[in-house]
Amino acid sequence: MAQVSINSDLGEWGLSTDSGERARLLQSPSVDIAPKSEGEAPPGGLGRGTTSTLGAIFIVVNACLGAGLLNFPAAFSTAGGVAAGITLQMAMLVFIISGLVILAYCSQASNERTYQEVVWAVCGKLTGVLCEVAIATYTFGTCIAFLIIIGDQQDKIIAVMAKEPEGAGGSPWYTDRKFTISLTAFLFILPLSIPREIGFQKYASFLSVVGTWYVTAIIIIKYIWPDKEMTPADILNRPASWIAVFNAMPTICFGFQCHVSSVPVFNSMRQPEVKTWGGVVTAAMVIALAVYMGTGICGFLTFGAAVDPDVLLSYPSEDMAVAVARAFIILSVLTSYPILHFCGRAVVEGLWLRYQGMPVEEDVGRERRRRVLQTLVWFLLTLLLALFIPDIGKVISVIGGLAACFIFVFPGLCLIQAKLSEMEEVKPASWWAMVSYGVLLITLGAFIFGQTTANAIFVDLLA
């Protein structure tokens, strides 16, 4: 593939031309990329990493699977049944995989290592700033969702330990949802969020993968051998309307969104080639699809239209196998929140430094004070919002709309800009096909984001 230099002049923002230096704070913590120094990278390309093809597949699957798994049975219900849910996921998967390949192509063309740097280099500073703001907002919303998940699972576990019905009046103050979420957050999440580095991420990744697969296995087993007290409500066979099908899109986008972390993973590979990467992401997405479909289909058929937005809440509190799944989810979320916060804080830090015209290299004291202040503000705001937004379905719907921007809109913009720079080097038919596909991606992402925003404003807020 021809190497193309795209919007490489970043001097007006006072940024270093070494993307490795600018990625110091924004680097994905889940991959191991060797530092890039002058003369180390091959001409027109990035330095080689250490991740094998199989390792890259595992990392992408790990980045894709997560707490969004719990909402997929409700997404099948929203879409109008199993057939509609499967069709929707299969159709969207084509665009999801193509977005990952486009990002890898643009990463090679622009010689950048992270998602926001690729967008910045390919599309310019305005789109780059919008991308960074979107990443910060997305990670902020996901942290809120994580805290809500903790509260949901703790409510069920506490009900079993206290041996009293859920929601029963006269419960002790220390079993109150707001108190338990706050206590857990202050004892575990806040201390893990303040450090500058998050080297424990490798253990969190393993824990998250184990928890995700266990939850999927339990949901499938409970469908095959259901408990007597679990009887499904109405099983939908067709969507109520075409709008209902599109309402399930944000959940799918939230579940499959691994695009932000995909660029560092691509550049961490021993052979960072677009063709190889296409095989990696295809294999990873097929694995993720199997997990999400297994969870979505079996969870939906177990409870029907009555399935809860968090499927684990639909199971009885006394079920010990499900209780273990809840414990896995809590542990996974406790370690995932600091990682998401780290990424969001790094983006906010980068925006602040550019706005102030300050260099990345500064005295440690000022950086530490600013980091602690940013962490406290982020933590307290997400905690307060989680305490007063008990429905995780609404949160996932909103951040799913933002996920659509990372999956469709920004890759579409990058594809168009990259092809515009190659206009004289490629055949007109090929050029028009790629530009048209980029426009299609942007339109699809804008539709999902617009629909989600409209629902949040005109449905949820006015209800």
Side-chain angles (χ1 to χ4, degrees):
M1 183 187 73
Q3 299 296 332
V4 184
S5 178
I6 305 172
N7 291 349
S8 58
D9 184 13
L10 301 174
E12 61 181 325
W13 279 83
L15 296 178
S16 168
T17 56
D18 180 2
S19 63
E21 176 186 295
R22 284 183 279 116
R24 179 179 63 83
L25 289 176
L26 305 182
Q27 182 61 58
S28 169
S30 62
V31 295
D32 180 21
I33 298 180
K36 185 178 73 172
S37 59
E38 292 187 11
E40 188 175 315
L46 293 168
R48 294 189 180 275
T50 59
T51 305
S52 65
T53 300
L54 186 62
I57 293 174
F58 175 81
I59 294 172
V60 174
V61 171
N62 179 34
C64 186
L65 299 178
L69 175 85
L70 303 177
N71 201 234
F72 265 73
F76 272 75
S77 177
T78 301
V82 173
I86 292 176
T87 303
L88 183 61
Q89 283 194 68
M90 294 296 292
M92 292 184 66
L93 198 66
V94 175
F95 299 105
I96 290 169
I97 293 174
S98 68
L100 290 165
V101 175
I102 290 169
L103 289 169
Y105 171 81
C106 292
S107 175
Q108 278 196 342
S110 61
N111 198 32
E112 299 292 350
R113 292 182 181 269
T114 64
Y115 187 100
Q116 56 269 31
E117 288 181 329
V118 169
V119 174
W120 191 292
V122 175
C123 301
K125 65 180 182 182
L126 177 59
T127 308
V129 170
L130 289 176
C131 177
E132 291 184 328
V133 171
I135 291 175
T137 306
Y138 177 81
T139 53
F140 183 83
T142 306
C143 287
I144 296 173
F146 284 169
L147 290 171
I148 296 174
I149 290 172
I150 290 174
D152 289 344
Q153 309 312 322
Q154 284 181 332
D155 286 346
K156 288 282 189 176
I157 294 175
I158 290 173
V160 175
M161 296 176 64
K163 297 182 180 180
E164 58 183 34
E166 298 173 54
S171 299
W173 59 269
Y174 51 83
T175 63
D176 180 76
R177 176 189 176 93
K178 294 180 180 178
F179 174 77
T180 56
I181 294 177
S182 301
L183 181 64
T184 304
F186 274 100
L187 287 181
F188 298 102
I189 292 178
L190 182 58
L192 293 175
S193 299
I194 292 178
R196 184 175 182 176
E197 305 295 337
I198 47 174
F200 61 88
Q201 197 273 347
K202 56 185 178 182
Y203 305 109
S205 296
F206 176 77
L207 184 65
S208 178
V209 170
V210 171
T212 299
W213 285 94
Y214 180 82
V215 170
T216 299
I218 287 297
I219 291 173
I220 294 174
I221 291 171
K222 290 294 180 181
Y223 167 67
I224 298 174
W225 296 287
D227 296 336
K228 294 181 180 180
E229 62 268 24
M230 291 192 307
T231 55
D234 296 334
I235 303 295
L236 303 176
N237 294 318
R238 61 176 61 90
S241 66
W242 66 271
I243 297 178
V245 176
F246 292 119
N247 286 336
M249 282 185 169
T251 298
I252 296 174
C253 290
F254 178 68
F256 282 96
Q257 197 291 115
C258 57
H259 294 58
V260 173
S261 58
S262 70
V263 180
V265 177
F266 169 70
N267 290 306
S268 76
M269 294 179 63
R270 294 171 189 163
Q271 296 179 329
E273 299 173 356
V274 175
K275 184 177 181 180
T276 304
W277 177 249
V280 167
V281 295
T282 299
M285 292 302 102
V286 169
I287 295 172
L289 179 68
V291 175
Y292 283 137
M293 276 195 178
T295 304
I297 293 172
C298 294
F300 168 69
L301 293 179
T302 301
F303 300 103
V307 65
D308 196 277
D310 179 344
V311 66
L312 291 183
L313 298 184
S314 299
Y315 293 92
S317 302
E318 298 79 13
D319 192 315
M320 290 307 299
V322 178
V324 174
R326 295 189 180 106
F328 263 122
I329 291 295
I330 291 175
L331 289 174
S332 176
V333 169
L334 284 176
T335 52
S336 297
Y337 180 109
I339 296 169
L340 264 294
H341 164 258
F342 174 87
C343 298
R345 185 181 70 198
V347 172
V348 172
E349 175 80 352
L351 288 169
W352 174 256
L353 290 177
R354 278 196 297 273
Y355 176 76
Q356 293 292 321
M358 300 165 61
V360 173
E361 300 82 1
E362 57 177 332
D363 66 273
V364 177
R366 292 172 61 187
E367 184 278 330
R368 183 185 297 112
R369 289 193 297 270
R370 192 167 59 249
R371 169 164 41 88
V372 171
L373 178 61
Q374 290 170 351
T375 300
L376 288 175
V377 171
W378 182 290
F379 171 79
L380 292 174
L381 285 177
T382 55
L383 178 59
L384 287 173
L385 289 171
L387 294 180
F388 294 99
I389 306 177
D391 187 356
I392 190 177
K394 294 179 180 180
V395 177
I396 288 182
S397 178
V398 173
I399 58 182
L402 275 174
C405 294
F406 302 129
I407 296 173
F408 306 117
V409 176
F410 290 119
L413 288 171
C414 287
L415 179 62
I416 292 174
Q417 291 294 331
K419 289 304 173 182
L420 285 174
S421 67
E422 300 176 1
M423 188 183 305
E424 298 179 355
E425 302 178 18
V426 298
K427 296 179 180 179
S430 175
W431 183 86
W432 276 109
M434 291 295 99
V435 171
S436 299
Y437 188 73
V439 172
L440 176 61
L441 286 177
I442 295 171
T443 303
L444 179 60
F447 172 78
I448 297 173
F449 178 74
Q451 179 202 29
T452 303
T453 304
N455 286 341
I457 295 175
F458 298 109
V459 178
D460 296 334
L461 296 182
L462 298 180

